[in-house]
Amino acid sequence: MKKIFQLVILLALFFSLPIQSFASINSAVTTHLGKSNAAVTIRDAESGKIVYSQNGDKLMRPASNMKLVSGAAALSILGEDYRFKTNLYIDGIIVNDTLNGNVYIKGSGDPTLKKDDFLEFAKELKRIGIRTINGHVIGDDTAFSGSTLPPGVLKSDETYYFGARTSAITMSQNNDFDASTVIITAKPGKVGAKPSYSIEPNLSGMVISNQARTVSKGSRNTITIKRAYNTNRIIISGNLPQGSSKKEWVTLQDPSKNTMQAIKQTLQGTGLKFVKSSKVELGKVPKKATLLYTNESRTLAAIFPAFMKLSNNSIADILVKAMGKQQLGEGSTNKGATLLKKYSASLNIPVNNWSFADGSGLSNSNRVTSNGLSQLLYKVQNESYFGTFFDSLPVAGNKDRMVGGTLKSRLTNSALQNRIYAKTGYIPNVYTLSGYMKGQSGKQYIFSILLENKSSGNVYIDRTMAALVKNL
């Protein structure tokens, strides 16, 4: 009975496209992607009708295609105008120019918080006459709960920006918004000497162990900059040739405390003084504290290009926790994942057997289907936030980094450039690509390709995409 049903489905799809096109597409899919480890769905973008499907209902790992779900849900639940808020409080009394009390920072997960914002905190403290702080600097990160380490981050990957921890108090160093990181740049000195290094925004409570050596120009560059597992210690090692440099994003061991250290250090840099006994601590803002200033992030719509085009994992996981906090009163990954499933179900996607472990797709425990992802891409076209969603997708072959994103160096043939708007995805043994494309005929289609257990999978996906554009 099952085989008869599958045959009926195949025949229905066969007659939904011209015979030659269907045969060419089927041949391209099976030749480049195989039959058992690839799920492929193609829909008519206007009607939503499936015109081709192979293993469309097979549960697969989405990798960063998971961001299609978490991103669309965030736009729907939080809204395009949503802004993260970071509040500055004080308590105690001010005598002359000294605050006899504490300074508090209460965060809500703003991934865009930077040194410029820390300087605003300093400005506000000085505005009310504070020049010395006789108390502590305390961070309130209670908006989020659960582990700061997202599911799926391997021990070996914890040092890298894509495995960054998520916290209600965090910081980024530039407009890529790789939250919970510092940027370290090493430059060569004299041959045989240690390279010099700089750290942005500042040391932030980290400890640097510089074990590297400058070598002559033309020598092999073997320098590495990594955080020792489960510590605040960053190790610079290897050889750095003259005439070269090394820049690395390194994750924070404790984003809340490290960010608070960065804030205190920035305040001191503006001339604000702290008594010797002043410490950086974590704790709740007391009810008696006075709200001095609220820093608001740019809107979610404005953050979205960096999130989707650059496939930013930390923003994805922060959004999941932010949704959980807003809707269910708990800023945890579990509560946020519940909302992702509820949102997907609202689009008439059969998600009962789907699994959501995070918002980024880094976890191997996530499971979706290509039929379901393509259904989501069809349904969001009718939502008010679709413009923001669509414009945030990487554009095939477009060399502008903030347009092409993770597709800027893929599908660069003139016949493919600017025809494909899609979210890429990769974790070990998984390659994915889902989005919108314009066929050679000028007709618009929605597609989802989920591929597992095939080395160099992007090469085969791109070959398949070239055939799809040509034959549709």
Side-chain angles (χ1 to χ4, degrees):
M1 189 69 179
K2 186 177 179 182
K3 289 184 177 180
I4 294 174
F5 177 74
Q6 290 173 338
L7 180 61
V8 170
I9 293 297
L10 185 62
L11 287 171
L13 295 176
F14 183 85
F15 288 112
S16 65
L17 283 174
I19 293 173
Q20 186 177 356
S21 294
F22 184 92
S24 298
I25 291 168
N26 190 58
S27 175
V29 169
T30 56
T31 298
H32 299 309
L33 305 178
K35 294 182 179 180
S36 59
N37 291 326
V40 180
T41 303
I42 304 170
R43 290 179 187 266
D44 183 306
E46 187 174 349
S47 69
K49 182 180 180 182
I50 294 177
V51 297
Y52 180 87
S53 179
Q54 174 184 281
N55 299 323
D57 288 322
K58 182 177 180 178
L59 289 171
M60 303 283 280
R61 290 170 287 178
S64 280
N65 274 202
M66 186 66 199
K67 295 182 179 76
L68 294 170
V69 182
S70 57
L75 289 172
S76 175
I77 294 169
L78 298 175
E80 293 176 279
D81 295 328
Y82 178 83
R83 295 176 188 267
F84 293 92
K85 294 180 180 180
T86 305
N87 292 328
L88 170 67
Y89 297 84
I90 58 170
D91 66 5
I93 59 172
I94 301 171
V95 179
N96 297 324
D97 61 359
T98 298
L99 171 65
N100 291 304
N102 301 318
V103 174
Y104 300 87
I105 299 290
K106 183 174 176 63
S108 64
D110 184 0
T112 74
L113 201 67
K114 295 186 294 188
K115 185 176 181 179
D116 287 348
D117 302 307
F118 304 165
L119 293 172
E120 287 298 317
F121 297 153
K123 194 180 295 184
E124 289 300 317
L125 291 169
K126 290 180 176 180
R127 182 181 61 79
I128 60 170
I130 296 173
R131 294 296 181 273
T132 301
I133 297 163
N134 182 20
H136 304 304
V137 182
I138 301 173
D140 185 340
D141 64 355
T142 55
F144 288 174
S145 58
S147 175
T148 58
L149 188 67
V153 179
L154 301 175
K155 179 179 177 180
S156 58
D157 289 339
E158 270 201 54
T159 183
Y160 300 111
Y161 68 94
F162 59 83
R165 293 172 179 266
T166 56
S167 169
I169 300 177
T170 187
M171 63 180 178
S172 295
Q173 314 318 321
N174 58 31
N175 287 344
D176 285 2
F177 305 135
D178 291 308
S180 301
T181 64
V182 290
I183 300 175
I184 298 177
T185 303
K187 294 184 177 180
K190 293 181 179 180
V191 173
K194 292 182 178 182
S196 62
Y197 64 86
S198 61
I199 182 167
E200 300 174 49
N202 51 47
L203 201 55
S204 309
M206 308 297 282
V207 177
I208 307 291
S209 175
N210 187 359
Q211 303 170 10
R213 188 170 67 102
T214 301
V215 293
S216 59
K217 189 174 183 178
S219 299
R220 189 176 167 217
N221 188 338
T222 62
I223 195 166
T224 63
I225 304 174
K226 295 182 177 181
R227 179 171 60 82
Y229 176 68
N230 210 29
T231 73
N232 279 323
R233 184 167 170 251
I234 297 173
I235 301 171
I236 306 173
S237 61
N239 296 331
L240 183 63
Q242 289 185 324
S244 61
S245 63
K246 176 71 171 181
K247 187 175 185 178
E248 191 71 77
W249 279 251
V250 179
T251 58
L252 303 173
Q253 166 64 18
D254 185 340
S256 296
K257 202 157 190 180
N258 290 131
T259 300
M260 293 305 301
Q261 293 276 13
I263 291 172
K264 182 180 180 182
Q265 201 168 335
T266 301
L267 298 181
Q268 289 174 311
T270 69
L272 283 168
K273 296 178 181 178
F274 291 82
V275 298
K276 218 170 188 181
S277 59
S278 177
K279 298 177 183 178
V280 168
E281 298 178 342
L282 298 180
K284 280 190 173 184
V285 176
K287 290 182 180 180
K288 65 180 180 178
T290 300
L291 176 62
L292 198 61
Y293 169 70
T294 296
N295 182 85
E296 292 191 350
S297 73
R298 58 188 69 191
T299 64
L300 180 56
I303 295 170
F304 234 68
F307 165 42
M308 294 286 273
K309 288 185 182 291
L310 305 181
S311 202
N312 189 304
N313 286 349
S314 57
I315 293 177
D317 289 319
I318 284 170
L319 288 175
V320 168
K321 289 189 172 185
M323 284 185 274
K325 181 64 175 178
Q326 186 197 75
Q327 296 293 307
L328 303 174
E330 182 181 305
S332 68
T333 299
N334 286 342
K335 291 296 185 184
T338 299
L339 293 171
L340 296 185
K341 208 162 190 178
K342 185 177 179 181
Y343 168 77
S344 301
S346 75
L347 301 179
N348 296 320
I349 300 171
V351 294
N352 287 340
N353 57 348
W354 284 25
S355 298
F356 294 150
D358 61 20
S360 68
L362 194 60
S363 173
N364 273 301
S365 297
N366 293 306
R367 291 293 186 277
V368 300
T369 63
S370 63
N371 280 354
L373 280 184
S374 62
Q375 172 77 344
L376 181 147
L377 292 169
Y378 170 67
K379 287 286 189 175
V380 296
Q381 292 178 118
N382 297 318
E383 300 296 335
S384 60
Y385 49 81
F386 178 65
T388 295
F389 180 84
F390 181 81
D391 289 343
S392 75
L393 295 174
V395 181
N398 193 306
K399 296 298 182 184
D400 185 328
R401 181 170 178 266
M402 290 310 296
V403 178
T406 53
L407 279 178
K408 68 183 178 67
S409 299
R410 291 175 60 183
L411 302 160
T412 55
N413 185 288
S414 58
L416 303 173
Q417 282 179 320
N418 302 311
R419 281 183 172 271
I420 300 165
Y421 291 68
K423 184 70 200 71
T424 57
Y426 169 75
I427 55 176
N429 299 314
V430 178
Y431 300 84
T432 59
L433 187 71
S434 300
Y436 306 87
M437 67 174 168
K438 181 190 288 186
Q440 197 66 40
S441 66
K443 191 172 176 60
Q444 300 282 350
Y445 292 91
I446 293 166
F447 70 93
S448 179
I449 299 175
L450 311 177
L451 179 63
E452 297 184 351
N453 302 319
K454 191 175 180 73
S455 60
S456 303
N458 284 341
V459 173
Y460 297 102
I461 288 177
D462 291 357
R463 288 174 184 172
T464 303
M465 290 304 302
L468 295 185
V469 170
K470 180 181 178 182
N471 290 286
L472 286 171

